[in-house]
């Protein structure tokens, strides 16, 4: 799945004219320090094999980092270069299982200093036409949507802001109006629409919705609180049976990034 993520990152960085850092973190407590040159060669050959001698993004830097913690190694580099996005492949066979329950990925989503874009196996980036943003009406959603619009604008993609309301919810309409009003005050990008849907099975509805509209990407806000939408949807055993992730790249915005 690293192959899909690498190719996706190459094309995305080329389109948005951004530098691409390809990283490999290895633990020197488990591997000899002298192996670093070998790791660099492997990583370089991996990039050449899958991107070719002339990748889409000409501005690529390859780096092998020694660190006992993968998370620390990634976050240190991200902070140093002030990266705007981390791209990673989704692990697992055809489901979201490894991505959801893998401690490394969970920690990365919760602590990364920038958004995370997880790319499923066999996913390719040709054109972004439709991006879905699932909201739980948090104030940080506005910041996340502003950041998301920067990617959407490059592709002239439509952003569909949706909320899947449970039948017990009473204020969804007013909350969506609040979100729309406050977002449009702060954003110039206008190819955005807002929609409310009702379902007592959020997971099932979201799966059908993404397939029906042929979404190219789904975005959500990860909050370090128990009531956030991403936790509600993805930190549930039922999602292991879902195949949303096998089809649609997921970009996760951590609320810490905006505070």
């Amino acid at each position: 799945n690293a192959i899909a993520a690498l190719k996706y990152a190459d094309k995305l960085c080329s389109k948005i004219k951004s530098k691409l850092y390809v990283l490999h973190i290895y633990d020197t407590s488990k591997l000899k320090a002298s192996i670093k040159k070998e790791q660099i060669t492997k990583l370089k050959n991996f990039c050449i094999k899958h991107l070719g001698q002339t990748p889409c993004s000409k501005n690529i830097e390859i780096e092998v980092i020694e660190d006992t913690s993968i998370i620390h190694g990634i976050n240190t580099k991200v902070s140093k270069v002030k990266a705007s996005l981390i791209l990673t492949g989704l692990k697992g066979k055809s489901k979201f299982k490894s991505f959801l329950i893998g401690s490394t990925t969970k920690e990365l989503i919760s602590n990364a200093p920038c958004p995370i874009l997880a790319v499923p196996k066999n996913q390719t980036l040709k054109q972004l036409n439709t991006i879905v943003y699932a909201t739980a009406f948090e104030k940080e959603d506005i910041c996340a949507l502003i950041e998301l619009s920067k990617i959407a604008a490059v592709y002239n993609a439509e952003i569909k802001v949706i909320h899947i309301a449970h039948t017990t919810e009473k204020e969804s309409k007013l909350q969506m109006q609040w979100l729309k009003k406050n977002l449009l005050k702060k954003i110039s990008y206008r190819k955005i629409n807002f929609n409310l849907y009702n379902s007592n099975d959020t997971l099932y509805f979201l799966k059908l919705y993404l397939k029906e509209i042929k979404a190219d990407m789904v975005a959500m806000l990860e909050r370090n609180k128990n009531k956030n939408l991403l936790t509600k949807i993805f930190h549930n055993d039922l999602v292991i049976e879902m195949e949303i992730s096998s089809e649609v790249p997921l970009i996760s915005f951590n609320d810490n990034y905006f505070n």
Side-chain angles (χ1 to χ4, degrees), residues 34-76:
S34 59
I35 206 169
K36 184 172 183 177
K37 287 185 178 180
E38 180 184 333
Q39 297 292 314
I40 293 174
T41 300
K42 285 184 177 181
L43 184 57
K44 183 178 180 179
N45 290 338
F46 177 79
C47 291
I48 291 174
K49 178 180 179 181
H50 298 292
L51 298 181
Q53 297 287 351
T54 55
C56 294
S57 176
K58 309 298 183 184
N59 199 6
I60 296 180
E61 182 175 311
I62 295 171
E63 186 171 354
V64 172
I65 299 173
E66 304 171 28
D67 203 306
T68 55
S69 166
I70 294 175
I71 301 299
H72 181 266
I74 294 173
N75 287 345
T76 298

Side-chain angles (χ1 to χ4, degrees), residues 21-241:
Y21 293 89
V22 182
L23 305 182
H24 172 63
I25 316 295
Y26 76 101
D27 187 351
T28 52
S29 67
K30 297 178 181 179
L31 297 173
K32 295 179 180 179
S34 59
I35 206 169
K36 184 172 183 177
K37 287 185 178 180
E38 180 184 333
Q39 297 292 314
I40 293 174
T41 300
K42 285 184 177 181
L43 184 57
K44 183 178 180 179
N45 290 338
F46 177 79
C47 291
I48 291 174
K49 178 180 179 181
H50 298 292
L51 298 181
Q53 297 287 351
T54 55
C56 294
S57 176
K58 309 298 183 184
N59 199 6
I60 296 180
E61 182 175 311
I62 295 171
E63 186 171 354
V64 172
I65 299 173
E66 304 171 28
D67 203 306
T68 55
S69 166
I70 294 175
I71 301 299
H72 181 266
I74 294 173
N75 287 345
T76 298
K77 182 65 178 181
V78 167
S79 298
K80 182 178 179 180
V81 302
K82 297 180 180 179
S84 56
L85 188 66
I86 297 173
L87 281 91
T88 181
L90 287 174
K91 295 183 178 179
K93 295 181 179 179
S94 62
K95 304 181 188 298
F96 224 158
K97 185 173 182 179
S98 295
F99 178 63
L100 292 170
I101 65 177
S103 59
T104 298
T105 305
K106 273 187 179 181
E107 189 177 347
L108 189 60
I109 287 176
S110 298
N111 298 292
C114 70
I116 309 287
L117 175 57
V119 181
K121 185 178 180 180
N122 298 324
Q123 183 68 223
T124 58
L125 176 58
K126 295 180 180 178
Q127 172 65 29
L128 286 179
N129 294 312
T130 306
I131 302 173
V132 173
Y133 186 91
T135 178
F137 305 124
E138 304 291 349
K139 61 183 179 63
E140 292 86 359
D141 282 326
I142 295 173
C143 298
L145 280 161
I146 291 172
E147 291 299 309
L148 187 64
S149 71
K150 295 175 183 177
I151 297 176
V154 174
Y155 289 90
N156 195 32
E158 179 182 23
I159 299 177
K160 293 182 177 291
V161 181
I162 71 166
H163 177 72
I164 304 168
H166 194 274
T167 52
T168 58
E169 292 186 44
K170 304 298 182 183
E171 304 296 327
S172 297
K173 186 174 181 179
L174 289 175
Q175 289 174 313
M176 185 65 88
Q177 291 173 350
W178 168 86
L179 178 62
K180 180 178 180 179
K181 178 182 177 181
N182 285 279
L183 176 64
L184 295 181
K185 284 180 181 178
K186 299 181 179 181
I187 195 171
S188 59
Y189 194 67
R190 284 295 185 265
K191 205 169 180 181
I192 307 175
N193 59 60
F194 303 79
N195 292 285
L196 280 172
Y197 299 97
N198 294 302
S199 176
N200 289 331
D201 192 336
T202 306
L203 293 173
Y204 182 70
F205 185 92
L206 181 59
K207 175 181 177 179
L208 291 181
Y209 181 77
L210 294 176
K211 286 186 176 181
E212 181 179 341
I213 67 167
K214 298 180 180 179
D216 299 298
M217 183 182 292
V218 58
M220 296 181 183
L221 179 73
E222 164 67 9
R223 297 197 64 203
N224 292 315
K225 295 180 181 180
N226 292 330
K227 63 179 182 179
N228 70 82
L229 180 62
L230 191 60
T231 297
K232 179 181 177 182
I233 293 178
F234 289 149
H235 294 183
N236 185 302
D237 291 339
L238 181 60
V239 80
I240 296 174
E241 302 304 322

